[in-house]
Amino acid sequence: MKSLRILMLALFALFAVTLSAQKPNVYVLATGGTIAGSGTSSVSTNYTAGQVAIGTLLDAVPQIKDIANVVGEQVVRIGSQDMDDATWLLLAKRINELQASDSVDAVVVTHGTDTMEETAFFLNLTVGGTKPVVMVGAMRPSTALSADGPLNLYNAVVTAVSPASVGKGVLVVMNGRIYGADGVVKMHTTNVDAFGAPNSGALGYVLNGKAVYEASPKRPGGRPMFNVSGVDELPKVGIAYGHAGVSPDVVESMIKNRYRGIVYAGVGNGNIHKNLFAALEEARRKGIIVVRSSRIVSGPTSLENEVDDEHYQFVASQLLGPAKARVLLMLALTQTDDWRKIQSYFNLF
Ligand code: GLU
């Protein structure tokens, strides 16, 4: 009788091991943000980001264990307003390691929403391999009524284990939608439906535990545009914001502080106020790369419209807004100072 019980237990254990071996292995890299936020009230927006550890977050969504074997790793624990170049490089290198590991099928990155689009874009330019990489966050802290983090996290894992996500580059899953890293933008400061892709639209959605794609990203994943394996620091690039009556002070200060690139968040189609034009020309004369972008959330900043880019050697950011244009310019400057070559990178977007 006793030996029968031992045999039954052994069979059950073997069954459990076989089942978990069949499930994909998802590696969750945690960086903090509201998804790990904790507040003193369930009905207020007052809370501190990044308080809850990744193990606790995963334990709050036991359904994830039905679809994946999940391992969590806490990379940093910050509000994403404090994101920096060093953490981007750390994340890119770690994900490239995971892409090369036989025991990992997909990667999920939990992240604050404030700079999620910048991190997603940085990773999309620097991570190789075709395994899905899915970024996710939340707009409400884990202690709020109707916290959106648990479902977002579940949907992110659903997307990460979907064979349809292979080779799509870095994805962002928020509020039931799947976005490509190049097009995604935070569009609302507080609403749970905070993200959009005003130029390209969402790639798809997640419903009832299934990821459904309606479109493919313009640039497929696979080969990284930039190899950062030997890069420990990124060139200094700043953003100057255009507005009526703008002064050249910010641009002059960037020249003085030896920035290697300046992104101008211009008005309209990246147009430049006359007060600022001379300072940007001066920057270019000193070898600084000047990228014209726009403070407008949709549409391109296109070459050769109201500004003679060829004459001034300015670069037009195409469909990249100022924050993403800065990311691309930093990475481009690790390779070249040639403004035409840098324009060719921007022309891919
Ligand atoms: N500001 C914090 C961050 O971006 C919280 C905002 C959020 O995650 O939604 O990490």
Side-chain angles (χ1 to χ4, degrees):
M1 195 60 194
K2 195 172 164 207
S3 56
L4 184 67
R5 208 175 317 137
I6 290 171
L7 182 69
M8 295 282 284
L9 276 174
L11 280 174
F12 180 76
L14 189 68
F15 181 63
V17 167
T18 313
L19 268 188
S20 82
Q22 280 168 357
K23 283 187 281 185
N25 299 322
V26 175
Y27 211 94
V28 181
L29 295 174
T31 69
T34 296
I35 193 166
S38 165
T40 46
S41 156
S42 60
V43 288
S44 118
T45 53
N46 207 320
Y47 66 97
T48 314
Q51 296 301 294
V52 183
I54 182 58
T56 314
L57 276 186
L58 291 169
D59 287 346
V61 198
Q63 297 83 347
I64 287 176
K65 297 200 177 81
D66 297 337
I67 55 170
N69 304 313
V70 181
V71 177
E73 177 180 319
Q74 194 80 44
V75 180
V76 286
R77 205 184 281 187
I78 57 173
S80 75
Q81 59 269 46
D82 294 329
M83 188 48 66
D84 54 27
D85 300 356
T87 309
W88 279 347
L89 288 167
L90 183 72
L91 274 173
K93 288 171 187 173
R94 186 74 184 110
I95 297 173
N96 278 325
E97 278 170 11
L98 296 171
Q99 286 280 350
S101 160
D102 288 341
S103 56
V104 176
D105 296 303
V107 179
V108 168
V109 181
T110 63
H111 196 287
T113 59
D114 289 356
T115 55
M116 187 184 284
E117 73 214 53
E118 288 173 65
T119 303
F121 186 57
F122 181 86
L123 296 176
N124 209 25
L125 296 174
T126 54
V127 166
T130 55
K131 293 174 189 171
V133 177
V134 181
M135 295 195 60
V136 66
M139 291 300 289
R140 295 181 181 141
S142 60
T143 42
L145 282 180
S146 291
D148 54 332
L151 184 57
N152 282 348
L153 188 55
Y154 181 76
N155 284 343
V157 177
V158 165
T159 305
V161 301
S162 166
S165 301
V166 170
K168 292 238 171 8
V170 176
L171 303 166
V172 168
V173 171
M174 287 291 293
N175 201 36
R177 294 198 188 86
I178 307 170
Y179 300 98
D182 292 357
V184 68
V185 179
K186 188 172 184 182
M187 306 277 287
H188 198 283
T189 51
T190 55
N191 201 289
V192 283
D193 197 18
F195 283 79
N199 290 306
S200 55
L203 299 181
Y205 58 91
V206 189
L207 188 64
N208 299 334
K210 199 169 172 343
V212 180
Y213 284 91
E214 294 166 322
S216 290
K218 193 160 130 193
R219 285 183 329 114
R223 268 176 58 103
M225 233 170 114
F226 300 98
N227 178 352
V228 288
S229 60
V231 177
D232 294 322
E233 215 178 310
L234 294 170
K236 215 150 111 176
V237 175
I239 299 176
Y241 195 86
H243 56 85
V246 68
S247 109
D249 293 357
V250 174
V251 170
E252 282 167 0
S253 153
M254 289 188 208
I255 297 172
K256 208 166 93 211
N257 285 293
R258 299 181 184 283
Y259 279 56
R260 286 191 52 209
I262 297 174
V263 173
Y264 177 57
V267 292
N269 191 355
N271 289 317
I272 303 170
H273 196 290
K274 62 179 170 44
N275 292 357
L276 210 68
F277 220 112
L280 290 176
E281 274 186 272
E282 170 69 5
R284 183 65 206 119
R285 262 196 305 276
K286 293 210 148 86
I288 298 169
I289 297 289
V290 175
V291 174
R292 288 189 308 111
S293 180
S294 177
R295 63 184 202 178
I296 308 297
V297 79
S298 59
T301 299
S302 54
L303 273 167
E304 311 294 349
N305 276 261
E306 290 182 62
V307 181
D308 186 347
D309 294 300
E310 182 72 27
H311 176 77
Y312 296 106
Q313 299 189 353
F314 291 161
V315 172
S317 74
Q318 305 293 8
L319 282 175
L320 297 178
K324 286 185 180 172
R326 177 178 167 272
V327 169
L328 178 56
L329 182 52
M330 284 196 301
L331 287 166
L333 285 166
T334 64
Q335 307 290 306
T336 180
D337 279 307
D338 177 348
W339 69 279
R340 285 184 199 280
K341 175 81 186 146
I342 292 176
Q343 181 66 65
S344 76
Y345 291 140
F346 278 89
N347 290 346
L348 298 172
F349 297 90

